[in-house]
Amino acid sequence: VAPFANLPSMNNLFFQAKARKGLSFEAIAKHLGKDEVWVAAAFYGQAKFTEEELKKLSDLLGVSSSSAVAQIGDNWFPYRGTLVEFPPRDPVIYRLFEGISVYGTAIKAIINEKFGDGIMSLIDCKVTIDKKENPKGDRVILTFDGKFLPYAKW
Amino acid sequence: VAPFANLPSMNNLFFQAKARKGLSFEAIAKHLGKDEVWVAAAFYGQAKFTEEELKKLSDLLGVSSSSAVAQIGDNWFPYRGTLVEFPPRDPVIYRLFEGISVYGTAIKAIINEKFGDGIMSLIDCKVTIDKKENPKGDRVILTFDGKFLPYAKW
Amino acid sequence: VAPFANLPSMNNLFFQAKARKGLSFEAIAKHLGKDEVWVAAAFYGQAKFTEEELKKLSDLLGVSSSSAVAQIGDNWFPYRGTLVEFPPRDPVIYRLFEGISVYGTAIKAIINEKFGDGIMSLIDCKVTIDKKENPKGDRVILTFDGKFLPYAKW
Amino acid sequence: VAPFANLPSMNNLFFQAKARKGLSFEAIAKHLGKDEVWVAAAFYGQAKFTEEELKKLSDLLGVSSSSAVAQIGDNWFPYRGTLVEFPPRDPVIYRLFEGISVYGTAIKAIINEKFGDGIMSLIDCKVTIDKKENPKGDRVILTFDGKFLPYAKW
Amino acid sequence: VAPFANLPSMNNLFFQAKARKGLSFEAIAKHLGKDEVWVAAAFYGQAKFTEEELKKLSDLLGVSSSSAVAQIGDNWFPYRGTLVEFPPRDPVIYRLFEGISVYGTAIKAIINEKFGDGIMSLIDCKVTIDKKENPKGDRVILTFDGKFLPYAKW
Amino acid sequence: VAPFANLPSMNNLFFQAKARKGLSFEAIAKHLGKDEVWVAAAFYGQAKFTEEELKKLSDLLGVSSSSAVAQIGDNWFPYRGTLVEFPPRDPVIYRLFEGISVYGTAIKAIINEKFGDGIMSLIDCKVTIDKKENPKGDRVILTFDGKFLPYAKW
Amino acid sequence: VAPFANLPSMNNLFFQAKARKGLSFEAIAKHLGKDEVWVAAAFYGQAKFTEEELKKLSDLLGVSSSSAVAQIGDNWFPYRGTLVEFPPRDPVIYRLFEGISVYGTAIKAIINEKFGDGIMSLIDCKVTIDKKENPKGDRVILTFDGKFLPYAKW
Amino acid sequence: VAPFANLPSMNNLFFQAKARKGLSFEAIAKHLGKDEVWVAAAFYGQAKFTEEELKKLSDLLGVSSSSAVAQIGDNWFPYRGTLVEFPPRDPVIYRLFEGISVYGTAIKAIINEKFGDGIMSLIDCKVTIDKKENPKGDRVILTFDGKFLPYAKW
Amino acid sequence: VAPFANLPSMNNLFFQAKARKGLSFEAIAKHLGKDEVWVAAAFYGQAKFTEEELKKLSDLLGVSSSSAVAQIGDNWFPYRGTLVEFPPRDPVIYRLFEGISVYGTAIKAIINEKFGDGIMSLIDCKVTIDKKENPKGDRVILTFDGKFLPYAKW
Amino acid sequence: VAPFANLPSMNNLFFQAKARKGLSFEAIAKHLGKDEVWVAAAFYGQAKFTEEELKKLSDLLGVSSSSAVAQIGDNWFPYRGTLVEFPPRDPVIYRLFEGISVYGTAIKAIINEKFGDGIMSLIDCKVTIDKKENPKGDRVILTFDGKFLPYAKW
């Protein structure tokens, strides 16, 4: 579909094979020994598989591992950040945006008060999603676990 | 400072009094029995204090509680979402944006796989920040805990 | 035509078959036991048919139900919100935009006064259109029936 | 507050008096014999009071009716549509926008199928909001009742 | 050429046949009993031919009338307003834009003074172009003849 | 009001005096021997009065003609085109925009067919508005009468 | 290459033939008895060759003159202004933009002081480029020679 | 007036004094031994007077030279390029923009063909305007005389 | 001047005192034992002085150190990144932008080839400027010295 | 991949051959006697190889040198600056943007203080990247070495 038209063709093969095999990201992630959010990110070209991971994945999905390595192996680096338009309009992604729009300055204030002048890294950062069951409606627990980086002075 | 020029004048008084008293959001939040991120959000006009909270807060900060109630009490509703420009350029807030830009489609995919066709609510959602100490550099744990809402059909 | 170039190819087949069979959305909706606005939204990729609905629809339109299920069945989730550019320039859609542009703050004020600090959900929301005949010119009655969601505090 | 900085100063006086008197739009509307959404729109400078309405309103609110007539009477015409930024970021108004973004093409299709080539007028249009109580959460019923206008040919 | 890439393919056939036959819009319009500006608008997908007009036109241009009816007949509605980028950069179209940019507020003021609170409809509106010969340089007479619509109150 | 905040202060004095005296643009235009649309344009800073016109106008409105000449006389040149945002959102002005958006390419085609490769000048152009009474609703006749300018070649 | 993807296909043939024959715009211009800047503009679809010029050019380049006439002959009018994005990012074109950005208001002031209220026409305008050799570095002499057009009043 | 609100206050004093004294840029430029376009640019904050020029100018205009030196003397550097919005909408400045929009790629092609891979400098560039009288309408001759800079390779 | 209108008022006092004392950033930096680029960044509100640095600086500039500490001391955190509009139009800053625009993908490619999947940190980064004298024209040596951060996987 | 879709097809062949041969830009640069950043820039169409360099490169990569010369030889000039969207969203390139966003005004101030009124050229500029090993994390040393150009006056 449209927002994903810019992915390397290998990634589209991965998506089709995943659908054909009826595999969830959770199942694939378990097979690779990785987290499902990270694996989904890599499917969308936002993270980089090692050669070994590419092979394991290709075997699982039944696609050519040599093509995978040739196209998105060592030689390739993710060109991140181009999938989501801003403001995003898909309601699922928009809500994340709304989270920053409404709570972003509060988050900055608390990070600065708790840690000093610096940022939460999104490079050394892990993103996870958990499902907390709740009779009034299940809850999505979305967590960013990122290293604090203090500003250099010179 | 500039990005906050649009806040109600009461909120600016709150910020000045907070600075004068040397109070952190953590301390204020404890006093009000609320979370520090939510309190910071309310300081930035992104959440609504009850009349009782306004009074408690005004007493703590030494500002007029009747002015507070008159200006941002029952009669007033937050006009949310205007503080952060997009893409944000302050590096702390930008990293949150980068989180969506890079991991947003993966997050959507996992939410849809785990919960079905719907969204994580940002209305019925709680945002918290924890500090996880780590010898290689402390880590920021930022959590969104939002209700899953399935799409209506009719 | 152009604004719809990003739909899954299955949806384009649905549109062509609908035209070929001369079926209105109203007729299709009756056949599926759904509302015509919802059905049109699903044709435009903005809502998700169940597998059963996909089969019924495919039979009615004379297209392959297995292709339909394979492409936009369980495995697929709508990527909503990308069809309409903003500001929209088609006059029919622009008038809806003008409605928000002119009456949006009034609507917000009344919702907040009547219901408190919160929103009208567009996830748990039903949209319907009725025709009210009138000698001076028929009238379009467009209704949004959405759940009120109060803001969480924590 | 900020998004309303562009209103004529008379309108700001109206808002302050309304707050001071503790009057809801519903109460004011009843007094004027108008609908509350329309009255709120006129407060926000998006509709035009007649001279008689201005006098009645000024009396109710305890402000100078001659100033009101001088500033926003016969001589003045609303410059509509400048209050809401697009995409709006206040969540209440954003949801309306999302309604068009997600269901706009479906609404256009149904209007065209039901009425032919033309539009729903937003000039000859009435907007109302009702509260439908519901044990699972009250519902907002937002209705646009606009005249259908067929396209001229020449 | 580029700005017209989004037209239905039938319309492109019309343009090619018009060129091949060396017919002006004026000649085609006469044949159809319509105005040349309206006919050009319909060629650009901004107006809707009746089935009878489609047949007459197809015969004149020597293209298949059944294809025309199938593609842009009853079943199809114009998705207007997407041909011109804004600000337009073609100098002919830019000058129209400049007309609004420079004289738009004056036009609004005069319409409001002459007619009251309302608009000139662009739905019930006829657009014509005449050539007035003049020894100092011929003049283009561009006229919009639109119905005045007063604002509803409720 | 807001969109006019950028006018020279003299022009705001003109507007206030016009309101105080209850004069229409039509009446002022007659007094100056000019068209009402042009006069309104000059009030909005989009055209330049001669010194003689400034004096006549100042006398009529009862404002200081020497201030007028000093501020917007010989020494001043209009900085045109900054009053209207694009797309305009006031519905009166938007409809003009919609006129170009929908009929702009048709207008270009007819101008080019009737006159050749060139433009309708908006510099040597006169804009007028007439009211055509009509039992089904009065009509606004908006006319642009501009010189055709052929493209230079060299 | 990309920015030129929207040209009529005939123009791309011209570019390829020009490259194959190793002809400069200067040489082609001499052959046609025109200026090189104008000829380059016509290659980029920003000016219109006469039928005679099209034939001469086609012969010189060895392409079919009947195709040229059929595609971009009498029947075709340039849709100008779509090649350059703004702000342009190619450094050669950006510098022209910077010229307006830095010196535009000064140029306007001097034109208005020297000529009165009006503009320099870009329709009746000739653009030329000369090379002035200079031991410290050759200089580009870029000249716009445009007719002054005074503003109409009415 | 509005587009110039960002100039240092000294520059606004210069403009007022220039108007009061009835001096043209041409006259001021002669007095300073500079070109009128450059002087106008410096008035608009787009170029930097030397201390000596500031003194001469202040004497001519009858303003305090010590204030001039203190505010925009050695210590100050122009922050260029912020006066003109893009696309500009004042018709005089827009026509310059249109010049690049229509002829920019042609100009680039000719500069590259005549000089090689590089640019015309807008830093080492002189801009002048001449009036060429002509019975059919005077002509504006606008010239950019800029150094050619070849691209470095390394 | 305008782009700096958003700085805390203390910073404006620093700028004025710096001008009054005729101190360069180089001199101030030496006094503080810091680099001149970093000091200029802190003047522009893009870095944070320690309390000790604020006191030293206030003494040097002859401004109140207690005001400085009260306003931009411990309690304050830089809201970075709002000074430069993008694309920047001041030619000095634009050239930096052009550097990324032209060489950005090449820089990314080399960083990825030399260091792997990750980024050059702009948080742990030092920026310096040196002057390299050269008979053909002095050269600016601008250096970014930033830590490489490899992407986390999880 | 997507952001590079606009490159001449020859450049894509170069990229594929480079991947197939497993050559780094460093290795290719050594072979050509050039710097690796410059070579990468030329691969991305942001710099121009001489004919001799094209031949050497084609031989090294095993592609047709005559095709290379025909397509991007003498006849072709780079259309620079279109690869990177702004703000860039790939985190590697964004950090460069953040460098300007945060430190741009400081860099301008220091360049102006050290060199006077002028710019650092990005045309006569060399860009290099070095790896400085460091036990706490290797560092990227990115250097721009550009000629200072003083502003012309006339």
Side-chain angles (χ1 to χ4, degrees), chain A residues 5 7 15 38 69-70 77 108 118 152:
Chain A
L7 293 181
F15 275 109
W38 186 85
V69 168
F77 291 95
K108 171 183 163 62

Side-chain angles (χ1 to χ4, degrees), chain B residues 5-8 70 75-76 78-86 119 122-123 151-152 154, chain D residues 1-4 15 18-20 22-23 83-85 88-91 93 95 98 102-103:
Chain B
N6 291 339
L7 292 181
N75 205 58
W76 172 87
Y79 197 91
R80 288 172 171 94
T82 57
L83 284 190
V84 178
E85 53 151 13
F86 275 87
I119 65 158
L122 247 290
I123 305 301
Y151 256 96
W154 68 96
Chain D
V1 237
F4 312 132
F15 274 110
K18 171 180 177 297
R20 208 172 42 238
L23 290 166
L83 284 190
V84 178
E85 54 152 12
R89 283 192 286 163
D90 177 78
I93 303 182
R95 293 315 183 272
E98 192 174 299
V102 171
Y103 297 114

Side-chain angles (χ1 to χ4, degrees), chain G residues 1-4 15 18-20 22-23 83-85 89-91 93 95 98 102-103, chain J residues 6-8 70 75-76 78-86 119 122-123 151-152 154:
Chain G
V1 237
F4 312 133
F15 275 109
K18 170 179 179 298
R20 209 172 42 238
L23 288 166
L83 283 190
V84 178
E85 55 150 14
R89 284 193 285 163
D90 178 77
I93 302 183
R95 293 314 183 271
E98 191 174 300
V102 171
Y103 297 114
Chain J
N6 291 339
L7 293 181
N75 204 57
W76 173 87
Y79 196 91
R80 288 173 172 94
T82 55
L83 283 191
V84 178
E85 54 150 13
F86 275 89
I119 65 156
L122 247 291
I123 304 301
Y151 255 96
W154 68 98

Side-chain angles (χ1 to χ4, degrees), chain A residues 6 75 78-81 84 86, chain J residues 2-3 19 89-91 93 95 103:
Chain A
N6 291 339
N75 205 57
Y79 196 91
R80 288 172 171 93
V84 179
F86 276 87
Chain J
R89 284 193 286 163
D90 178 77
I93 302 183
R95 292 315 182 271
Y103 297 114

Side-chain angles (χ1 to χ4, degrees), chain B residues 83-147:
Chain B
L83 284 190
V84 178
E85 53 151 13
F86 275 87
R89 283 193 286 162
D90 178 77
V92 184
I93 302 182
Y94 184 80
R95 293 315 181 273
L96 304 175
F97 169 87
E98 191 174 300
I100 300 176
S101 189
V102 171
Y103 297 114
T105 43
I107 291 170
K108 173 182 162 62
I110 299 301
I111 289 177
N112 281 171
E113 278 199 9
K114 270 191 146 76
F115 294 82
D117 186 22
I119 65 158
M120 173 178 80
S121 177
L122 247 290
I123 305 301
D124 184 344
C125 183
K126 297 169 185 173
V127 184
T128 50
I129 293 172
D130 289 299
K131 184 176 189 168
K132 194 164 74 179
E133 308 216 333
N134 185 317
K136 291 186 188 161
D138 293 346
R139 299 189 73 87
V140 182
I141 310 298
L142 167 64
T143 308
F144 293 85
D145 165 351
K147 191 179 180 181

Side-chain angles (χ1 to χ4, degrees), chain J residues 6-29:
Chain J
N6 291 339
L7 293 181
S9 61
M10 200 64 221
N11 296 39
N12 284 316
L13 290 184
F14 285 166
F15 275 110
Q16 288 162 21
K18 170 179 178 299
R20 209 172 40 238
K21 300 246 168 183
L23 289 166
S24 66
F25 283 119
E26 196 185 12
I28 296 171

